[in-house]
Amino acid sequence: MFLELIAVIFAGIAVAGVVMLINSVTGTRLPRWLAPVAAGLAMIAVTVTSEYSWYSRTLTSLPAGLVVADTVESRSFYRPWTYIVPLNERFVAVDLATMRSHPKQPDQHLAEVFFFGRWAPISQLSIAADCASWRRAAVEAETNLAQDGGIHGVNWVSPPAEDHLLLSICGS
C-alpha cells in the first residue's frame, strides 16, 4: 500500500512537471490551472490502474496447482467507473496440488482453500468435500479420519449445484 501511494504521488509530480515544461516551451500560453488538474487526473488514473491490475498481478504470482474457484466483483458509488467495469476485490483459490483423498473413499477429498482480498491478509481453510453426496465441510482440529478413509466429526453443508468450491474440487 505504501509503495502504491508513492507511485501515485510521483505520477502526479511527473505529469505536473511535464505540463509546466510544455508551458515553458510554448511561452506560457497554457492556463495556470492545467498543471494541478493534469496532476490530479494522473493520480486518479494511476490509482484506478493499480486497483484493476491487482487481480491479474496476484494471479500471476500464485504457485502452480492453486486454481481460482470464485471471484467477488464490487461496485461502489465512490468509484463510479466500477459500474461500467466491476472491480475484482476478492477471490477464493483451491490448492489442487496438495488435495488428498483416501483410496477407499475416492469421492471424498481434503483440500486447502485460500481467501485473497485486495487490502486483507490471505486466509486459509481446510475443506472436506464429498463429491458423491455433493456436500462440503470446514475441517477443524477435532475432525476424525476413519480407517476406511471416511471423514467424521464435521458439519456437512449441502450447497447448491453451482457451488464454485465443489465444482473446483470435484471437477479436478
Side-chain angles (χ1 to χ4, degrees):
M1 183 171 164
F2 179 72
L3 294 177
E4 289 181 12
L5 176 65
I6 297 298
V8 167
I9 291 170
F10 275 106
I13 292 170
V15 169
V18 168
V19 169
M20 289 190 293
L21 181 66
I22 291 171
N23 192 29
S24 157
V25 169
T26 61
T28 63
R29 294 177 191 225
L30 298 176
R32 293 181 60 183
W33 54 262
L34 190 58
V37 168
L41 290 174
M43 293 169 82
I44 290 172
V46 168
T47 302
V48 169
T49 302
S50 175
E51 289 286 317
Y52 276 101
S53 66
W54 169 80
Y55 178 66
S56 61
R57 284 183 287 135
T58 306
L59 283 184
T60 58
S61 67
L62 292 179
L66 216 55
V67 176
V68 175
D70 198 10
T71 59
V72 178
E73 295 179 341
S74 70
R75 293 178 173 91
S76 57
F77 73 93
Y78 58 88
R79 295 181 194 150
W81 50 87
T82 59
Y83 289 101
I84 299 168
V85 179
L87 180 63
N88 284 330
E89 283 190 320
R90 296 178 288 163
F91 68 94
V92 179
V94 179
D95 191 358
L96 297 179
T98 63
M99 190 169 62
R100 302 174 305 277
S101 62
H102 195 277
K104 293 182 181 177
Q105 300 288 339
D107 288 333
Q108 290 186 359
H109 305 284
L110 286 174
E112 297 299 318
V113 177
F114 297 91
F115 300 92
F116 293 82
R118 174 74 171 111
W119 299 111
I122 300 169
S123 301
Q124 180 179 354
L125 180 67
S126 296
I127 295 287
D130 186 354
C131 298
S133 301
W134 199 254
R135 59 186 185 163
R136 62 180 162 87
V139 176
E140 300 171 3
E142 56 273 356
T143 301
N144 298 320
L145 300 177
Q147 294 293 344
D148 66 349
I151 301 168
H152 304 286
V154 295
N155 294 323
W156 291 103
V157 176
S158 296
E162 64 274 355
D163 183 61
H164 298 288
L165 277 177
L166 281 178
L167 287 171
S168 297
I169 293 170
C170 297
S172 63

